[in-house]
């Protein structure tokens, strides 16, 4: 992790004042094989940053949006935020004896994941409400920060933040060096991501779009606090992604990166705009170095969006063939 | 307008790479008199940008939020967006014969503003729904752009965008030159502001927080569109301002600028954080050059927030005494 972060910082420093013009492509994206995917990315970036090109895009309009789970970091065997919710549930259970008597908590306490799955969307919603609400945003920020800096992936035993994709870190830095503003647009909770994405991806909190609950201002001891209410405000997934983009960014991106059917509408919305547009899907094809999954997967299902790639002209990255390395060294 | 925009561009160009360190205060804020208000602003900025200072604030945390109506531009005799809604109502009325039969439209069609006022908040909501929803975000963007580039202030006969405050334009540029990210946080509609604030204030659409309605993604002729629904999603005023700040920015600002009781909670939220904090109220004291109003005003009432300024340690700008000029030349 450390050496890749240093490389990232170096690229950022080089790019800090390069808000126009474009980087040399020679040493760009070192973890990408020299295949069609890399060529398509570089060709697009050179086209929109070349002042002489008819496809030139001014810096303020260079907005690039990235899904998080499965696009910037691993989402198998379960969404990281789900692992967080389960750990949080266990930590809170002793204070909630009433959970023993009602679903989906009963199943979860018994470690019965099939029973939990049978409670469906309502069960997931109840788990999210029980673990993500009823506290202030600053309290939740602290809980999320504590968890993400210590929790380990069940198989690799690495920190989750070490299971980000090195080629995507390079891509984020490459785009920023070419005047792009990079945003996360994730189905994950916005308050869960904001505490760590700046350190890990170089993306500041104000450039994170995610699912969210309602907030309410209260005065406590003469001081204002923002309390997380158990009311869903936006599910930033599928058709919710263009909504989240419009609410928080207010203009249509020119590049969009995803990996699942939850990103279909984000890629459609991005690439349906006028002028040069770029859509890309990360296809999890590497069972040896990561996990191979697509159409039948419970997590990160890629089916309709994969079929849409060809008619829409989106680039499909094969992790096996296009990436030299998957994770930071 | 032209010369002030040129000055702004010059300041921005100078500041583009000055993400750390601070500007010389010598030629800073030329439209501000050398009074306590200017001194307080400059002293704060020098303190948080001085690397040797215990109060040093890293660039990513230099977030400054500005109310719009009455803080960056004139809000008298009525909020500009209300003038927009009335013009839009008149333009749409011929397509809506049913408006003749129901309030608040009946009163508006008869030019009976007292009758309209009597319909209260429901009347205002109905007017907003009738004029701001039922179209795509791109259609609304075009309508707002067309209006703002032609509509004139009823008294000055100037474009509304010429009735921005020159000292505040300089302040925005000064803060950005010192590594601040400047945001608008307004009770006005976010979609109404985004089409023109980049050109006028140098604030991009993704740095605008405002009131908003719900959006819905639809496919029309095989293309995705976002439709503005007649459902209020956030009233970004009063206690809604800290909510909007958290939703869109995700961290607490260190400077906040407002002018009315609608900004009270934004200033409280901003200045209640730990570390150096700065709150400022623009007090409309200049009846000769603008309009003098505060505690009794129907628009932009400043009463509770003015009382709060002293205990909270906020700076209160007297437009009459602190500003050399009000509007751009």
């Amino acid at each position: 992790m450390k050496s890749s972060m240093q490389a990232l910082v170096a690229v950022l420093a080089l790019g800090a004042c390069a808000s126009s013009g474009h980087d040399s492509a020679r040493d760009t994206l070192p973890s990408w094989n020299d295949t069609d995917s890399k060529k398509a990315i570089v060709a697009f970036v050179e086209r929109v940053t070349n002042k002489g090109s008819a496809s030139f895009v001014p810096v303020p309009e260079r907005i690039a949006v990235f899904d998080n789970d499965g696009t910037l970091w691993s989402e198998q065997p379960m969404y990281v935020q789900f692992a967080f919710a389960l750990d949080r549930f266990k930590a809170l259970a002793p204070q909630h004896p009433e959970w023993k008597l009602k679903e989906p908590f009963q199943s979860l306490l018994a470690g019965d994941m099939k029973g939990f799955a049978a409670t469906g969307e309502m069960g997931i919603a109840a788990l999210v409400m029980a673990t993500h609400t009823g506290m202030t945003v600053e309290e939740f920020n602290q809980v999320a920060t504590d968890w993400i800096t210590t929790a380990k992936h069940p198989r690799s035993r690495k920190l989750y933040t070490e299971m980000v994709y090195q080629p995507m870190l390079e891509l984020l830095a490459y785009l920023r060096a070419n005047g792009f503003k990079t945003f996360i647009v994730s189905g994950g909770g916005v308050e869960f991501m904001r505490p760590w994405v700046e350190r890990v991806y170089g993306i500041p909190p104000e450039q994170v779009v995610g699912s969210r609950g309602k907030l309410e201002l209260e005065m406590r001891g003469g001081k204002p606090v923002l309390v997380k209410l158990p009311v869903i405000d936006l599910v930033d997934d599928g058709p919710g992604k263009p909504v989240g983009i419009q609410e928080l960014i207010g203009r249509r991106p020119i590049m969009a990166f995803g990996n699942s059917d939850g990103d279909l509408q984000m890629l459609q919305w991005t690439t349906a705009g006028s002028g040069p547009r770029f859509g890309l899907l990360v296809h999890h094809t590497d069972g040896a170095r990561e996990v191979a999954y697509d159409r039948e997967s419970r997590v990160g299902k890629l089916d309709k969006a994969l079929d849409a790639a060809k008619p829409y002209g989106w680039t499909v990255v094969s992790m096996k063939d296009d990436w030299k390395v998957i994770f930071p060294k």
Side-chain angles (χ1 to χ4, degrees), chain A:
Chain A
M1 194 63 195
K2 198 177 163 217
S3 65
S4 74
M5 283 306 292
Q6 285 169 340
L8 208 72
V9 167
V11 173
L12 285 170
L14 279 171
C17 286
S19 56
S20 61
H22 59 273
D23 247 18
S24 157
R26 261 167 295 163
D27 298 303
T28 295
L29 309 177
S31 299
W32 291 70
N33 287 317
D34 199 23
T35 49
D36 286 350
S37 294
K38 175 176 170 176
K39 284 175 191 164
I41 293 167
V42 172
F44 182 84
V45 170
E46 293 192 342
R47 201 154 64 90
V48 299
T49 56
N50 177 353
K51 275 191 182 156
S53 155
S55 308
F56 177 75
V57 174
V59 168
E61 289 164 32
R62 293 185 201 157
I63 304 287
V65 289
F66 289 80
D67 170 58
N68 185 38
D69 299 307
T71 300
L72 295 178
W73 74 352
S74 283
E75 63 186 349
Q76 297 286 358
M78 66 174 92
Y79 295 120
V80 178
Q81 194 170 358
F82 186 61
F84 165 75
L86 290 179
D87 282 356
R88 186 85 193 124
F89 172 76
K90 283 176 208 149
L92 291 171
Q95 302 160 40
H96 294 275
E98 77 280 11
W99 286 353
K100 286 180 194 147
L101 303 169
K102 63 178 177 183
E103 289 289 24
F105 307 125
Q106 228 168 5
S107 292
L108 286 172
L109 287 168
D112 173 10
M113 293 311 283
K114 275 200 180 163
F116 174 72
T119 64
E121 281 189 19
M122 294 306 289
I124 291 173
L127 176 64
V128 170
M129 296 308 169
T131 54
H132 284 65
T133 71
M135 68 200 93
T136 71
V137 293
E138 288 182 345
E139 287 161 357
F140 184 79
N141 183 317
Q142 191 58 55
V143 167
T145 301
D146 291 346
W147 187 84
I148 200 76
T149 49
T150 53
K152 301 263 169 79
H153 188 273
R155 292 180 189 160
S156 73
R157 307 307 302 160
K158 290 200 274 188
L159 291 173
Y160 289 103
T161 50
E162 292 172 318
M163 297 192 67
V164 297
Y165 303 133
Q166 175 64 22
M168 297 305 280
L169 295 180
E170 292 168 8
L171 178 57
L172 285 167
Y174 169 63
L175 291 178
R176 289 194 289 259
N178 281 280
F180 279 81
K181 222 172 191 176
T182 53
F183 288 79
I184 290 173
V185 178
S186 170
V190 67
E191 303 282 359
F192 175 71
M193 295 181 281
R194 279 174 167 157
W196 54 270
V197 293
E198 187 158 32
R199 170 174 62 82
V200 174
Y201 302 134
I203 294 179
E206 62 270 23
Q207 287 165 222
V208 182
V209 183
S211 296
R212 61 168 190 265
K214 286 265 183 207
L215 301 173
E216 187 172 63
L217 190 76
E218 266 183 33
M219 295 300 281
R220 289 187 183 171
K223 293 228 170 190
V225 294
L226 284 169
V227 179
K228 287 167 66 63
L229 302 183
V231 180
I232 291 171
D233 194 29
L234 176 70
V235 177
D236 189 54
D237 197 38
K241 286 203 176 194
V243 171
I245 287 169
Q246 184 61 25
E247 283 185 355
L248 274 84
I249 307 176
R251 55 180 146 200
R252 204 190 288 242
I254 67 164
M255 298 186 91
F257 302 85
N259 78 299
S260 78
D261 285 0
D263 303 312
L264 175 61
Q265 289 87 351
M266 175 172 80
L267 267 74
Q268 287 175 325
W269 173 246
T270 298
T271 59
S274 59
R277 304 280 157 173
F278 189 89
L280 183 147
L281 288 168
V282 174
H283 190 186
H284 291 260
T285 50
D286 198 325
R289 296 184 298 173
E290 204 227 11
V291 184
Y293 62 98
D294 48 30
R295 294 183 193 275
E296 305 297 327
S297 182
R298 195 178 41 80
V299 172
K301 178 175 178 169
L302 174 64
D303 184 39
K304 283 185 188 167
L306 195 56
D307 291 336
K310 198 156 191 180
Y312 279 98
W314 301 334
T315 295
V316 178
V317 162
S318 163
M319 288 174 72
K320 188 176 177 202
D321 304 310
D322 293 338
W323 287 1
K324 272 188 199 132
V325 299
I326 307 276
F327 300 113
K329 292 262 161 57

